[in-house]
Amino acid sequence: MTPSRRDMLIGTASLALAAAGLAASPAGALAAAPFDAAAWRRYADRFLQPDGRIVDTGNKGVSHSEGQGYGMLLAVAGGDRAAFDRMWSWTQRTLMVRGDGLVAWRWTPDGGVTDRNNASDGDMLIAWALLRAAELWKTEGYRTAALAIVKALETGLLAEHGGLTVLLPGRDGFRKGETLVLNPSYWIFPAIRAFAALPGGERWGKVTDSGLVLLSKARFGGFQLPPDWMALDAAGTVTVAEGFRKQYGYDAVRVPLYLAWDGYRDPYYFRPYADLVAKFGGSAVPATVSLPGGTTTQVAASVGMLAVYRLACRLAGAGDMVTVPPLAPDEDYYSTTLFHLSALAAQSLGIDP
């Protein structure tokens, strides 16, 4: 994770599926170990503090709602209830200070909560982790807490605009007159599916449908990639958002990950990423691409980003074009998280990592 990704917000406030015609990949084809209890312990040893705080090692040691949500999801996958409870307790007492059921998104070691605005993806990840924990450990309290967050999101962050039901990235700062600023990577499709299955969750089904429409419109440049940040006007037109870096990069790389994790297999959704890989080779993919111009950064995609591309290429029918090296001992929080989430998504699809 780069500081610029989260700096954009400062002050602005899975089902296991049958192969269905796609044979399982050969052993090692995704160059990622399956995520299991041992992988979780290694993750926790590096990023989980004793008090329950997940540390973003690539961003000056801050913590944020997204990190807490990812950590809680991985703890459920690793079967570690004690760690899950520590993370949830820290989140409740430290970040849930807004009074509206949503989570303040940013905490710093020297300043505590430095931005009380929420980040909707963090709220969603926490709620989804709580639902998964409730199912695994048969604890109604987790489910009750999840329902409260989902309700707060529905009340404060879902909006009807341009004929679509969309998710605002935060409670404050993303309405620009008749235009909404949106983040396509905040469409965490498997979480949205889980919310839609809750009593009264029909509106979340519309969020899924609208997300797919937005992704069909948000294809820019020669590679037809989604931007990290996009704008939706009242007529339903999608453009690359003003006031943000006009690029595909650290945020939008999660779009194919979340689609795969929710069981999407149509190559249409994954070809843009395979085309990007094909252009630059499996080990030299750039971290960002300007939109619509197509200028690429000299910074290479991280190991975690390469793991996402490996999965996307497989689903695009492009084979195993990406070489994913092992995680380095000092691999940062965001790259490591993407690496493990890609493994979980592959497992949910029945693909042997």
Side-chain angles (χ1 to χ4, degrees):
M1 166 123 27
T2 64
S4 62
R5 177 175 179 270
R6 281 301 184 181
D7 287 346
M8 293 175 180
L9 279 173
I10 297 175
T12 63
S14 308
L15 299 170
L17 300 178
L22 179 64
S25 59
L30 293 178
F35 188 82
D36 55 17
W40 160 249
R41 287 193 296 271
R42 291 191 295 272
Y43 185 92
D45 286 346
R46 289 210 53 218
F47 306 112
L48 177 60
Q49 296 292 295
D51 62 359
R53 179 172 75 92
I54 293 289
V55 179
D56 184 347
T57 59
N59 198 1
K60 300 180 181 180
V62 306
S63 295
H64 34 68
S65 56
E66 168 209 272
Q68 296 304 113
Y70 282 143
M72 290 165 67
L73 279 172
L74 292 175
V76 173
D80 190 343
R81 183 171 180 176
F84 180 91
D85 284 339
R86 291 203 307 276
M87 285 182 280
W88 175 224
S89 294
W90 187 88
T91 302
Q92 288 178 288
R93 69 175 180 268
T94 308
L95 298 183
M96 298 192 76
V97 295
R98 292 171 48 87
D100 61 359
L102 300 170
V103 184
W105 80 266
R106 190 173 193 266
W107 182 96
T108 66
D110 58 355
V113 173
T114 56
D115 193 333
R116 294 171 64 94
N117 200 12
N118 75 301
S120 298
D121 65 334
D123 296 297
M124 293 174 68
L125 289 165
I126 291 166
W128 187 33
L130 285 163
L131 288 175
R132 291 169 73 93
E135 182 177 357
L136 177 63
W137 292 309
K138 310 304 179 187
T139 303
E140 188 61 27
Y142 296 149
R143 179 179 169 85
T144 300
L147 291 174
I149 297 172
V150 172
K151 183 63 176 178
L153 281 166
E154 185 172 345
T155 299
L157 280 303
L158 297 191
E160 307 297 328
H161 197 75
L164 301 172
T165 303
V166 300
L167 175 73
L168 291 170
R171 189 71 182 259
D172 303 316
F174 297 96
R175 295 180 182 271
K176 309 294 183 182
E178 294 298 311
T179 298
L180 301 184
V181 175
L182 305 174
N183 188 315
S185 75
Y186 281 27
W187 262 257
I188 307 172
F189 286 101
I192 295 169
R193 182 182 297 274
F195 300 164
L198 296 171
E202 293 81 6
R203 199 174 178 202
W204 288 99
K206 295 180 179 179
V207 175
T208 290
D209 295 341
S210 295
L212 296 177
V213 171
L214 287 171
L215 289 178
S216 72
K217 294 182 175 185
R219 289 183 165 227
F220 298 98
F223 298 111
Q224 295 290 280
L225 293 165
D228 285 346
W229 295 90
M230 62 187 177
L232 175 69
D233 69 17
T237 301
V238 174
T239 57
V240 181
E242 298 292 338
F244 299 85
R245 291 185 179 178
K246 294 186 176 184
Q247 67 180 28
Y248 160 85
Y250 296 101
D251 277 57
V253 70
R254 296 177 297 180
V255 169
L257 169 64
Y258 292 148
L259 286 166
W261 203 346
D262 200 32
Y264 290 89
R265 289 178 174 269
D266 189 335
Y268 167 82
Y269 294 114
F270 303 101
R271 285 194 190 106
Y273 315 99
D275 290 345
L276 179 66
V277 169
K279 172 69 174 179
F280 292 96
S283 60
V285 185
T288 65
V289 180
S290 67
L291 298 176
T295 303
T296 59
T297 179
Q298 293 182 345
V299 177
S302 68
V303 172
M305 296 173 83
L306 291 175
V308 175
Y309 290 134
R310 187 87 184 215
L311 180 58
C313 287
R314 183 67 179 167
L315 294 171
D320 299 324
M321 297 192 297
V322 181
T323 300
V324 183
L327 290 170
D330 61 348
E331 199 76 33
D332 72 25
Y333 145 83
Y334 191 53
S335 176
T336 304
T337 301
L338 289 178
F339 183 90
H340 289 316
L341 296 181
S342 297
L344 286 175
Q347 290 168 226
S348 77
L349 288 165
I351 297 173
D352 185 17

